[in-house]
Amino acid sequence: MRTGSMSFSLVLVPRYRIHSLANHWDESLHNLNRNYGNNSGIRLLDSRIYGLQGGHGKKWTRRPVTTKREGSNKTSRSPKSRSIEHETLSETILTSATENVNKTELGQLQEIQYSDIQKELAQNKDLTSLLTIIVFDTETTGFMRKGDRIIEIALRDLQGGENSTFQTLVNPQRYILNSHVHGITTQMVNKPDVPRMEDLIPILMKYVRSREKSGGYVLWVAHNARTFDVPFLINEFSRCSTEIPPNWLFVDTLPLAREVIKFRGTELSSTSLPALAELYKVKVDGSAHRAMVDVNKLAMILPKLTFDLKLTISDLFERSFKPDLINFRRKKNTD
DNA sequence: TGCCAGGCCCTCTTTAGGGCCTT
């Protein structure tokens, strides 16, 4: 098991129950400021504390590939299969027969099923008791979904509390040619103590499960998530024959930044993460383009962004998407 | 020979083109 480069943080405040978006942001921001203001509030823990020995111990169930067809980036998951997943979350059963469902029907069912989830949660007055909001970021070997690989992943549970962050390098088992961007070199990741994605995924899933509420959903938030982080995540899970849990939903903050620029005008020079950080006067110590640094930036930007746009948790949730609804279409769509 | 990222948004407009955003 390659776990040596993984780390968790212990934020020195107790966990608390989220009552509202404002409370949620305020508390999270407070924790983040407290811990990053003096850069001393986070202690890195030995990964063994979290019990990371299970990767080869068969503690986790690998699920069949359902996110990608062989030789294609298009999703192979059908709504029929998803309905099964909703019923038996831990035992996904897929058959080749699901491949034959009419495409139009599939699209309609996808929309219906997902909107049902959104409706259910959006109408739930105690939405915050069901949602875990995780800000995340990935560093990769490049921009190409097909060929490039994730080499670092970091995430922060905005609920705070013990072990609210997760960060690790990932061994892509290849040379890294864009070290000038993030400072992560081939030598740093191609080591026995750096987990490969197949080692990491079960650990990551167990970590997220430890953060999520019973019967709840996990809202993953990233900047440009829809066309960058999430497709990379989908491909990595697919390569490892593991399915992204059906209760994971994703929010892209890039469209939110575009909305802000409409009424803020030239106050926001662009919709990039650095521009947002500048607008909201967010400063985080650390190397730019390292995953946890960008996670902490976005974690501090998010409450300001939602405040500007007057978004509630329900609003944020309604803007979320499921990974299997991402269009893996070619440029100049040939569908 | 064809591929080389791709979804979204804006503009000189949508039967299109180019820039932005992510590494």
Side-chain angles (χ1 to χ4, degrees), chain A residues 54 122 175 208 210 242 254 267:
Chain A
Y175 288 104
V208 175
S210 76
T242 307
L254 182 57
E267 277 187 272

Side-chain angles (χ1 to χ4, degrees), chain A residues 315-327:
Chain A
D315 295 330
L316 208 58
F317 184 78
E318 286 173 2
R319 291 164 185 256
S320 68
F321 58 92
K322 291 201 76 174
D324 49 355
L325 292 184
I326 288 182
N327 292 323

Side-chain angles (χ1 to χ4, degrees), chain A residues 21 118 121-125 127-128 131 311-320:
Chain A
L21 182 61
Q118 285 182 309
L121 281 172
Q123 290 180 345
N124 191 316
K125 293 179 180 178
L127 181 63
T128 53
L131 277 184
L311 297 178
T312 63
I313 284 186
S314 293
D315 295 330
L316 208 58
F317 184 78
E318 286 173 2
R319 291 164 185 256
S320 68

Side-chain angles (χ1 to χ4, degrees), chain A residues 222-225 227 251-259 271-272 276 305:
Chain A
H223 200 58
N224 204 16
T227 58
V251 170
D252 189 347
T253 52
L254 182 57
L256 303 185
R258 290 190 183 117
E259 290 181 39
T271 53
S272 69
L276 287 168
L305 203 55

Side-chain angles (χ1 to χ4, degrees), chain A residues 5 151 169-177 179 182-194:
Chain A
S5 295
I151 53 175
L169 291 172
V170 183
N171 184 347
Q173 298 175 286
R174 64 174 57 185
Y175 288 104
I176 296 174
L177 302 177
S179 299
H182 38 57
I184 301 171
T185 64
T186 303
Q187 292 70 30
M188 288 167 66
V189 297
N190 283 317
K191 299 192 297 187
D193 63 341
V194 175

